[in-house]
């Protein structure tokens, strides 16, 4: 092995004191498989247990922290105490394979769906509908200051539930156009109070959520507990987040005592769109800005072992694997053993049961041509 290949297998101890056995995460992927009340379905337990055997950590599908924050059918909840027993089973299943269990938490904001939230009341920083996912979505109601503070508190309460359920950490989902990103976005956030306006004020909600989560950890965790933060570096909307805004935000995040930052990318090697040198990759720009202050996790169509080894050469600290682990749950073990030719990179359309993929997740996969290799 060369140095980059060896680094993938090197253990890492986070600032919190938690150690992971290698530099590979299972990326958070919505699996649409929880029960209608937000509780865990048995299929999810099997799905996570199967994929926890080789990675250093598993980041779960995102869990909503309030009833009004649900974004998908079949989404797991962490908004009330009665869900803790099911969440405990997920954490136990992940940890049984030697991986650390990290619960991703969020609020969907204007990307919530009317039939999923109480009274169809979709809320956001401002009453601006989403535009970047095809046709404009429904016009959300602007959150009041009191409601914003309640959501911030809900992130802390969700973290306490994650601790009680036995998770090793939480990942704050500030990416992919959901509520936390909406507050940072000049498209979604047109407020003129302390939560909007200037670049610094548009950071306020994100930083308050981090503070709420970290306060919960300091008061309720008896053992090391990971806190990560996921972000999207740019938006296609105009006006929208650009690298010129993300890079100073990264400066602030790097000083927040987080265990890691997780950049959400469709393609690992994608280049900056706006607000920075478009000849450089986003990864290069982010690593330069972070300057070794906090570990960077990156995702982005890493499918083969060669893809992973090449990506590690960029200098990132961790790689997150999403579809690769759905297609081949033993991807990590095969890579570590040098069995590169045995890795499956195209979804076997007859292998739902063999791969322990939940029924509802399987139906969604097959309904979206091109999402997974092999699905046309």
């Amino acid at each position: 092995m060369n140095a980059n290949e060896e680094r993938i297998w090197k253990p890492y101890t986070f600032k919190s004191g938690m150690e992971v056995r290698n530099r590979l995460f299972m990326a958070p992927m919505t699996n649409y498989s929880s029960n209608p009340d937000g509780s865990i379905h048995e299929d999810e337990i099997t799905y996570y247990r199967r994929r926890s055997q080789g990675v250093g950590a598993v980041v779960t599908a995102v869990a909503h922290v309030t009833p009004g924050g649900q974004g998908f059918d079949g989404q797991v909840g962490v908004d009330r105490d009665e869900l803790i027993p099911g969440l405990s089973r997920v954490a136990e299943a992940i940890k049984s394979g030697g991986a650390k269990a990290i619960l991703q938490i969020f609020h969907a904001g204007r990307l919530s769906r009317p039939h999923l939230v109480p009274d169809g009341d979709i809320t956001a920083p401002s009453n601006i509908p989403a535009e970047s996912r095809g046709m404009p979505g429904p016009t959300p109601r602007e959150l009041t200051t009191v409601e914003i503070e309640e959501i911030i508190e809900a992130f802390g309460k969700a973290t306490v539930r994650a601790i009680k359920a036995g998770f090793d950490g939480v990942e704050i989902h500030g990416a992919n156009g959901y509520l936390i990103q909406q507050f940072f976005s000049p498209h979604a956030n047109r407020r003129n109070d302390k939560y909007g306006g200037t670049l610094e004020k548009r950071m306020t909600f994100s930083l308050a959520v981090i503070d709420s989560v970290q306060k919960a950890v300091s008061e309720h965790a008896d053992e090391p507990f990971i806190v990560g933060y996921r972000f999207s570096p740019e938006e296609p909307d105009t006006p929208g987040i650009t690298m010129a805004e993300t890079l100073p935000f990264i400066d602030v995040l790097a000083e927040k005592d987080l265990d890691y930052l997780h950049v959400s990318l469709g393609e690992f090697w994608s280049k900056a769109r706006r607000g920075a040198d478009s000849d450089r990759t986003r990864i290069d720009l982010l690593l330069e800005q972070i300057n070794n202050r906090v570990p960077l996790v990156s995702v982005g169509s890493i499918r083969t072992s060669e893809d992973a080894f090449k990506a590690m050469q960029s200098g990132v600290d961790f790689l997150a694997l999403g579809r690769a682990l759905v297609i081949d749950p033993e991807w990590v073990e095969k890579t570590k053993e040098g069995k590169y030719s045995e890795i499956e990179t195209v979804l076997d359309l007859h292998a739902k049961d063999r791969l322990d993929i939940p029924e509802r997740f399987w139906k969604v996969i097959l309904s979206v041509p091109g999402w997974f290799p092999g699905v046309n």
Side-chain angles (χ1 to χ4, degrees):
M1 288 187 181
N2 63 36
N4 288 301
E5 294 176 20
E6 291 178 350
R7 193 160 64 91
I8 286 182
W9 311 116
K10 187 177 180 181
Y12 186 93
T13 301
F14 290 107
K15 185 177 292 186
S16 62
M18 181 72 70
E19 182 182 270
V20 289
R21 61 187 172 189
N22 59 45
R23 308 301 183 89
L24 296 171
F25 278 29
M26 179 177 175
M29 288 192 70
T30 299
N31 59 40
Y32 308 94
S33 298
S34 295
N35 296 313
D37 65 354
S39 61
I40 292 294
H41 190 280
E42 191 68 31
D43 286 355
E44 295 178 274
I45 305 296
T46 304
Y47 169 78
Y48 283 121
R49 181 180 290 112
R50 175 77 178 276
R51 290 160 175 82
S52 67
Q53 306 302 309
V55 293
V58 171
V59 185
T60 68
V62 70
H64 52 275
V65 302
T66 72
Q70 185 172 353
F72 310 98
D73 289 291
Q75 185 173 67
V76 64
V78 65
D79 56 315
R80 57 196 191 279
D81 289 349
E82 54 261 41
L83 298 175
I84 293 175
L87 292 168
S88 295
R89 295 190 62 208
V90 172
E92 181 181 5
I94 292 171
K95 296 199 289 187
S96 71
K100 301 303 179 186
I102 300 175
L103 182 70
Q104 192 184 62
I105 55 177
F106 95 140
H107 186 296
R110 67 182 185 178
L111 294 183
S112 298
R113 299 181 181 180
H115 71 283
L116 295 176
V117 299
D119 302 319
D121 186 26
I122 297 175
T123 57
S126 301
N127 60 347
I128 308 296
E131 296 179 359
S132 60
R133 297 193 174 191
M135 296 295 291
T139 299
R141 178 177 62 81
E142 181 172 297
L143 288 161
T144 66
T145 301
V146 171
E147 289 173 323
I148 292 172
E149 293 170 350
E150 289 173 346
I151 292 172
I152 291 169
E153 184 179 359
F155 275 93
K157 291 178 178 178
T159 302
V160 174
R161 295 185 187 107
I163 293 168
K164 291 181 177 179
F167 281 90
D168 298 303
V170 294
E171 180 175 284
I172 301 166
H173 194 0
N176 301 117
Y178 299 118
L179 184 66
I180 296 177
Q181 181 177 321
Q182 289 164 29
F183 269 94
F184 185 56
S185 168
H187 184 279
N189 187 351
R190 312 289 175 92
R191 304 177 72 94
N192 57 11
D193 60 5
K194 69 177 183 179
Y195 292 105
T198 66
L199 175 62
E200 290 72 22
K201 287 184 177 180
R202 284 190 277 115
M203 297 181 192
T204 302
F205 182 78
S206 305
L207 302 179
V209 167
I210 293 170
D211 289 343
S212 179
V213 167
Q214 291 179 328
K215 183 174 184 289
V217 172
S218 67
E219 293 179 353
H220 295 275
D222 296 325
E223 299 177 350
F225 191 85
I226 296 168
V227 177
Y229 185 94
R230 197 177 202 210
F231 67 97
S232 293
E234 299 186 75
E235 289 179 325
D237 301 306
T238 300
I241 297 169
T242 69
M243 291 299 293
E245 296 176 310
T246 291
L247 294 177
F249 185 35
I250 293 299
D251 262 338
V252 176
L253 292 175
E255 301 300 326
K256 289 297 290 182
D257 269 345
L258 293 161
D259 286 288
Y260 66 83
L261 296 177
H262 184 176
V263 58
S264 181
L265 296 174
E267 294 290 337
F268 184 91
W269 299 106
S270 62
K271 295 182 178 180
R273 179 187 291 115
R274 295 180 295 182
D277 185 348
S278 60
D279 290 329
R280 299 182 65 188
T281 67
R282 291 161 169 157
I283 291 295
D284 285 343
L285 292 165
L286 292 169
L287 288 171
E288 181 177 87
Q289 195 77 14
I290 291 169
N291 194 25
N292 297 313
R293 288 177 289 173
V294 61
L296 181 65
V297 182
S298 184
V299 69
S301 299
I302 304 296
R303 296 175 182 171
T304 67
S305 304
E306 183 180 1
D307 290 340
F309 296 145
K310 180 181 177 183
M312 289 299 286
Q313 293 176 18
S314 70
V316 294
D317 301 279
F318 292 87
L319 297 175
L321 306 169
R323 286 168 291 181
L325 286 176
V326 176
I327 294 169
D328 191 338
E330 282 72 52
W331 189 103
V332 178
E333 296 93 311
K334 291 175 182 177
T335 296
K336 190 171 185 178
E337 295 168 7
K339 299 178 180 178
Y340 309 135
S341 63
E342 296 182 17
I343 293 175
E344 298 178 52
T345 57
V346 176
L347 185 66
D348 183 343
L349 300 183
H350 305 286
K352 177 183 76 68
D353 294 336
R354 176 175 66 83
L355 298 174
D356 290 320
I357 298 175
E359 178 72 28
R360 280 177 277 183
F361 188 23
W362 183 254
K363 289 180 179 179
V364 174
I365 290 172
L366 296 185
S367 71
V368 184
W371 183 22
F372 276 72
V375 180
N376 301 314

